Amino acid sequence: MVAALAADAASKSDATGFRSVDPNNLVLIDTKYGEVAVELAPQFAPKHIERLRALVRAHFYDGKSFYRVVDGFVAQGGAGEGTASTGGTKHDELTKKWPPLKAEFDAPIGGAFTPLGSPDLFAPEVGHIDGFPVARDRKDGRMWLIHCPGTFAFARDNGPDTATTEFYIVIGAAPRRLDRDLTAFGRVISGMQYLQKLQRGDPDVDNGVIQKTTKPDPILRMRIAADVPESERPSFAVLRTDTPAFEKVKEERRHPTSPFYFRKPPPVLDVCLVPVKVRKVK
Amino acid sequence: MVAALAADAASKSDATGFRSVDPNNLVLIDTKYGEVAVELAPQFAPKHIERLRALVRAHFYDGKSFYRVVDGFVAQGGAGEGTASTGGTKHDELTKKWPPLKAEFDAPIGGAFTPLGSPDLFAPEVGHIDGFPVARDRKDGRMWLIHCPGTFAFARDNGPDTATTEFYIVIGAAPRRLDRDLTAFGRVISGMQYLQKLQRGDPDVDNGVIQKTTKPDPILRMRIAADVPESERPSFAVLRTDTPAFEKVKEERRHPTSPFYFRKPPPVLDVCLVPVKVRKVK
């Protein structure tokens, strides 16, 4: 399946080295500040993505909220009360309909991986697959999505196999300590600035869950782009990361040539700080 | 002077290990979303801080704007057009009044430095002084403030000695490649979430300067807290970083004991990801 995905991506990339985002893997989140677009990476967590699509199509998220928002860390959305990650009385009812998922913290190595070419403190090897920041361990043959700004993942309770319906998106500096400890399977390709406007919670109170006195911002609607009529469906293209064009982007970050850099910075590259260009096609 | 500062800090810290922020080193920035508080670190850039205080007291910034805001990177404020960092016709007039400053990219090593205790890819040694993230190179005896989320610095043109009036604040992942290449001398201790609401520019157009069709958000007012009547002056305390309490914070990040961590993360600590607690006293 991974090979098929890679071939598909290649066939859809145009001469400029951009790859069209498959509308089946594009989640649109309407907030009151604007539309957020998340691209899913099915090879990393197929069962979670199946669940997410089912939840979106059941309108589970519509009208729910971003109820836990910690500045510089994450925005968490979903039902809030009664879920595995927050507990509460509605827990049983919810998990009957949406049973806990088996963790998909990592996946078998596969896909068109391009090494970053710089060392990393958290993983034996890091790089990109289709624009997603990926870490790998060849010793056990596993790979996983890295927690960078914009990473989309499912929240869980303390047990590894407890994710049900709640998602979070990284809105601050990369919390790499969460890598391979939660199931991450997407990244925001447009609209980060709208997530940054979300009402915050107090990180010292209930882990940043927004308390009753303040109203959390709603999730107005969530859709899979493939379900949106083609005439109004937004469409994106992402720079391919297995190309000489992307090597140039990395090289310019690693060894900036701009005269602005009076002192040349150490030739270090942070996998979360390499911009992977996204174009809104329509 | 550094010794005096350290002694001063110690004398003002209470039994809980918090240090009061000196109102002379506290800059208050009023945005339409809320108040942002920045603590200055005079030992890192005394001339820039002298300039900043003079600009604030001349009401230079009041009514100006955050005219360059790049999501995930920086919010830049000041006059905008006509400054060293943006060029334009008003440049000469402005620099007559506020001549370019000599770079203060680094300073002599000093102060109560506490090593982080984890390796860093960008500097020989990193740690904290009074809650500020600091890098040092003992070979040349210099230290400098690290670009973390919330770091406050002066913008400049290509030449090193060209900063005049414009400032920026890091609002995204740590752009460490800027370390020691710009004059950084403060950090946001309160109100990051208001900066996150600022109107963004397009990073692909004029470096993210907000174009004429969109209105940048104003800097309503900037004040040095010491100039605010005591009855209405906000006051903050910052956790001391040269204490066992802070060592505990770092240790819990490095080796999390929470059962949530099904897989123990690598014992790596990013200097920008250690939270340094701030209390609003009033």
Side-chain angles (χ1 to χ4, degrees), chain A residues 53-77:
Chain A
R53 288 200 188 107
L55 285 161
V56 168
R57 286 175 172 148
H59 302 282
F60 176 84
Y61 297 109
D62 303 356
K64 299 219 165 44
S65 72
F66 290 99
Y67 59 89
R68 179 194 173 215
V69 186
V70 180
D71 190 72
F73 183 34
V74 294
Q76 184 166 321

Side-chain angles (χ1 to χ4, degrees), chain A residues 29-30 61-66 77-78 167 217-222:
Chain A
I29 308 174
D30 291 356
Y61 297 109
D62 303 356
K64 299 219 165 44
S65 72
F66 290 99
F167 70 86
D217 282 320
I219 300 169
L220 297 176
R221 181 172 60 166
M222 262 171 86

Side-chain angles (χ1 to χ4, degrees), chain A residues 64-115:
Chain A
K64 299 219 165 44
S65 72
F66 290 99
Y67 59 89
R68 179 194 173 215
V69 186
V70 180
D71 190 72
F73 183 34
V74 294
Q76 184 166 321
E81 207 194 342
T83 62
S85 50
T86 60
T89 48
K90 290 184 241 153
H91 189 188
D92 290 350
E93 199 183 312
L94 198 74
T95 51
K96 211 175 284 168
K97 199 158 176 198
W98 306 104
L101 292 159
K102 271 226 165 305
E104 294 176 296
F105 295 157
D106 49 24
I109 281 181
F113 178 82
T114 307

